[in-house]
Amino acid sequence: MSRQQLVISLPEAAAMIKDGNSVGIGGFVTTNKPMALLREIMRLRTRNLTIIAPPSSMEVDMLLGLGMVEKLITPYLGAEAIAPLGPFHSGWAGKKFSIEEMELGTLVAGLRAHAMAVPFIPTRGVVGTSIPSLNPTLRYVEDPFGGPPLIAVPPIEMDVVLIHASQADCYGNVQHLGATFIDQLMAQAGKKVIVQVERIVSSEEIRRQPENTTLTSEYVDAVVLTPYGAHPMASQNHYRVDAEFIKEYVRVAKACVKGQPELFEEFVTKYLDNPHGHAAYLETVGLERLFSLGEGA
Amino acid sequence: MFVKTKATAKETAAVFIARQINNGDYISLGTNLPVPAAGVLLAQMTHAPDAKINVLSYFVNLAGIESFPDLGQIANPSVARWADGIMSVEQLIYGIRRMDLCFTGGLQIDQHGNTNLIGIGDDYNNLKFRGPGSVGTSTIMANCHKFFIYVHDHSPRTLVPKCDFISAYGWGNGGADSRSKLGLPGEGPKYVISPKAIMDFDDVNKNMRLKHLLPGMELTDVIQSTGFDLIIPEHLEEFEPPSEIELQILRERVDLKGYLRENKE
């Protein structure tokens, strides 16, 4: 009997996400975001999603702008020095989608609680802040050893986790070749894990340096080949963030929340709906632009 | 190409930060804070070659580099080229107690050093402005040995008597025991740094207090630009201005693009 191969197509991967699912998005702010997977899900306009993400950027703002999100759980949404975003920073929060106020240490505790199958993990992190009063899932809990009260963070569940990494073999052994942020924790806490990679390599290539493996196949359900798949975000060891692209998005998203949706709709048509498949998206962006993002350029 | 002009307020603030850093300190640098980043890099390139700088979970050492390309893009995976190692964000979060110094900003900063990155308004479900969110500041500022607050905009809109929401706890409602009562391990906010002034906190009531005026700033302007009664000491401490070598390193190796030489706040 031969080993099971996990490589599937983008449409097959996107079909794994159903209306009403909770979806975890890996990466960190503008680095290693599973954009190709997200674009395919956005094309389907899968609805009523709960999004769980570490610090994130325009990919989550776009999901909000497309009306796909019911609840958002993230400690940060922005584009760092580039600019504030559209729907997230607008008056849409609390109306078109709800926010479960979150903080990074608290998110880590909730994901770890789920991975460990314990009812909560105590943390000191948000004691004294407004976050326990804004997030109804958090509770103050007595310290059984007599110290001041702590915050109990309950398990955070995810139906599907989407991750971007550098390379994997066809059996689902993944190597980031750079920072992993909280991708490993998310994979341990997720029900299903889909990893998009810049390249698929041989099993021998992975085994040459197994210490570089960041997710063993135990934690991976599917692998999708998506070269340049993090664009416009950075992919560690491969290409830099396309700041001009994010600026363009911010411009159309801001106009959209001010009641002028036309430019946002044009953007969505051009980059999401018209290109049929990942290669067509890359052709729309253009090789010259993609190559100019090479590390050190 | 070192131009020998007087230090700007932001350059002076960066020099102040650099001088607070001890060799060997473990420092975490967040995003979008060019003045603190410049201070940390200046310290690393002068008296603190052993400082451990964590950016985006990369532990980098920049002591020997010719120059840093872009102070505005410090949380960028390109820093990997100077990394000694990488930790996962989970490992970082669970190992904060070794962290000596961190920085946070805020949409609002109150007179007791609490900061707000959540939003502006009375009604959480109908905010006037939704902020970016707390990132990891609640957990990090609760635990790291000490932290500095950087204020982009020294105005009554930002420096307020009380934050609408608190994302990172400073000294709560005041009082030197406010943190220990909650069991917060860190020593709390030590300095507040703005483009106009350096401030610290009264030892007893932990109200914000003026420490130094930055070059070219007037006392009356700082008082009027602060939305609460800043404690003004009888004698303001003199701050030894940036030396020629500090300025030269800042301009030629740290801040090539001139973020600290712009006049705007």
Side-chain angles (χ1 to χ4, degrees), chain A residues 82-112:
Chain A
I82 295 171
L85 301 167
F88 178 69
H89 290 295
S90 71
W92 291 15
K95 299 182 192 79
K96 299 196 178 189
F97 57 89
S98 69
I99 295 177
E100 206 166 275
E101 196 63 39
M102 194 38 76
E103 187 267 343
L104 184 56
T106 317
L107 177 69
V108 165
L111 294 171
R112 181 48 72 204

Side-chain angles (χ1 to χ4, degrees), chain B residues 146-185:
Chain B
K146 61 174 182 281
F147 67 95
F148 297 173
I149 299 167
Y150 188 74
V151 188
H152 283 288
D153 158 47
H154 192 135
S155 76
R157 206 174 54 138
T158 307
L159 286 160
V160 296
K162 200 171 167 60
C163 290
D164 294 344
F165 301 96
I166 294 175
S167 48
Y169 186 91
W171 296 105
N173 292 318
D177 61 348
S178 56
R179 291 180 67 89
S180 58
K181 275 195 293 198
L182 296 180
L184 301 177

Side-chain angles (χ1 to χ4, degrees), chain A residues 171-215:
Chain A
Y171 307 116
N173 296 298
V174 175
Q175 299 188 332
H176 278 66
L177 306 183
T180 53
F181 308 113
I182 62 167
D183 286 359
Q184 289 159 312
L185 175 58
M186 292 189 87
Q188 290 179 333
K191 260 189 216 133
K192 286 214 169 100
V193 178
I194 310 173
V195 184
Q196 65 166 54
V197 291
E198 295 289 345
R199 57 181 177 238
I200 291 176
V201 297
S202 66
S203 179
E204 288 83 354
E205 174 75 21
I206 294 290
R207 290 173 175 193
R208 192 167 291 140
Q209 287 190 290
E211 67 275 20
N212 280 349
T213 300
T214 42
L215 292 171

Side-chain angles (χ1 to χ4, degrees), chain B residues 226-262:
Chain B
T226 307
F228 50 83
D229 289 336
L230 196 59
I231 301 174
I232 309 294
E234 248 172 71
H235 302 288
L236 274 182
E237 284 175 60
E238 286 283 327
F239 177 67
E240 196 190 320
S243 69
E244 196 165 307
I245 189 76
E246 283 169 323
L247 263 189
Q248 183 166 3
I249 291 172
L250 264 186
R251 291 177 183 175
E252 291 187 349
R253 294 178 64 194
V254 175
D255 179 28
L256 303 186
K257 297 203 171 183
Y259 287 94
L260 312 187
R261 298 193 287 281
E262 291 169 3

Side-chain angles (χ1 to χ4, degrees), chain A residues 222-246:
Chain A
V223 172
V224 185
L225 175 61
T226 60
Y228 279 98
H231 181 270
M233 307 305 187
S235 175
Q236 295 178 95
N237 266 312
H238 299 281
Y239 42 90
R240 291 173 292 127
V241 65
D242 188 344
E244 289 307 313
F245 193 96
I246 296 179

